[in-house]
Amino acid sequence: MTCDLLSASKVSVVIGQDGEGNGNDLFGSLGHSPTCLGAALGTVSLAQVHLNIGYIRAFNIAGGELDVPALADGT
């Protein structure tokens, strides 16, 4: 059985990284992205099933890191 991840109902894609601060510095020195996957997993584990982790009032994870959003390719 094969699975197409683009059409799977329970798959999420995380393409973000910190655009400023330590995450951005690591991106510049390593040449690849330290994504915000850990922040996303932590937020999902904290959230109740019916809540959207993009709801800033409930899940404001900014504060030092992730204040400036960026894509995993540095843009």
Side-chain angles (χ1 to χ4, degrees):
M1 181 172 118
T2 62
C3 178
D4 180 13
L5 293 178
L6 296 177
S7 62
S9 65
K10 297 187 179 6
V11 173
S12 296
V13 178
V14 177
I15 61 169
Q17 75 172 32
D18 184 29
E20 188 175 80
N22 292 335
N24 190 47
D25 294 342
L26 286 170
F27 176 73
S29 64
L30 297 176
H32 61 273
S33 176
T35 66
C36 58
L37 179 61
L41 286 173
T43 306
V44 166
S45 69
L46 179 66
Q48 295 175 6
V49 175
H50 67 282
L51 294 177
N52 180 345
I53 65 168
Y55 185 54
I56 294 177
R57 276 195 189 152
F59 305 108
N60 186 0
I61 59 173
E65 292 293 319
L66 301 173
D67 286 339
V68 177
L71 297 176
D73 65 355
T75 57

